Amino acid sequence: MSLDPKIAARLKRNGDGLVPAIVQQHDSGEVLMLAWMDDEALHRTLTTGRATYWSRSRGAYWVKGDTSGHVQHVKAVSLDCDGDTVLLKVDQVGAACHTGDHTCFDADTLEVTITP
Amino acid sequence: MSLDPKIAARLKRNGDGLVPAIVQQHDSGEVLMLAWMDDEALHRTLTTGRATYWSRSRGAYWVKGDTSGHVQHVKAVSLDCDGDTVLLKVDQVGAACHTGDHTCFDADTLEVTITP
């Protein structure tokens, strides 16, 4: 079993064969994290309903929550207009971020200082 | 003028010196698009309040809306936990997608078919 060829044909991967996946809480709309997928990770995500990524640091597939319990149940998946980004809408169990924060974007807000 | 060194020190760029920027409508929470920034694009975004990207296809800075009129007014900017992704919350004027769709993720929804 591998990724549907009709989907694979639309994917535009980077030099490492990966596309970024934006992960959003399906009901609140919060952006939780960004991770990376290859064809197989996308295939597993679409056919298991469990968000599955390619861990660039570990060089291995990563089923979100297998270690932490912080599972992402997949509600919807879409490709962007040029096929180089995936949007996952998920139901996040517990914290999305490995730091324990609810999202990976909670801790470091940059100041917008509009200068004339 | 260039990017605040305290921010620059936290950024983890890819091999091309870029980080992905997730762009979200600030009030509805819709994810509009994903684009790319280098240090200068982030600096301009933070200091002009207009979302500014590095166009990989054109090899040039790209102030969203300068051509289309579909400006993004920046409401908030944050970095993720490992400094390799930016989240922009914007007020989008008109369509975010160059196809005329409201978001770049409207047109291509993938079927989630959980197989036993």
Side-chain angles (χ1 to χ4, degrees), chain A residues 3-64:
Chain A
L3 184 63
D4 181 339
K6 292 195 292 290
I7 298 171
R10 298 205 292 285
L11 276 187
K12 291 206 191 100
R13 306 155 194 85
N14 71 9
D16 297 320
L18 303 173
V19 293
I22 301 168
V23 190
Q24 181 179 35
Q25 173 67 27
H26 74 104
D27 46 6
S28 70
E30 282 171 302
V31 174
L32 300 171
M33 53 182 275
L34 184 129
W36 293 82
M37 289 185 172
D38 64 1
D39 286 36
E40 178 63 23
L42 179 55
H43 174 67
R44 294 186 191 183
T45 296
L46 291 170
T47 55
T48 65
R50 286 279 305 277
T52 305
Y53 308 109
W54 178 256
S55 168
R56 298 177 302 169
S57 55
R58 285 179 280 136
Y61 292 103
W62 163 40
V63 182
K64 176 72 178 171

Side-chain angles (χ1 to χ4, degrees), chain B residues 32 64 68 70-72 92-103:
Chain B
L32 300 171
K64 176 74 176 170
S68 64
H70 296 168
V71 170
Q72 293 171 340
Q92 172 72 55
V93 176
C97 189
H98 73 286
T99 63
D101 282 339
H102 183 57
T103 90

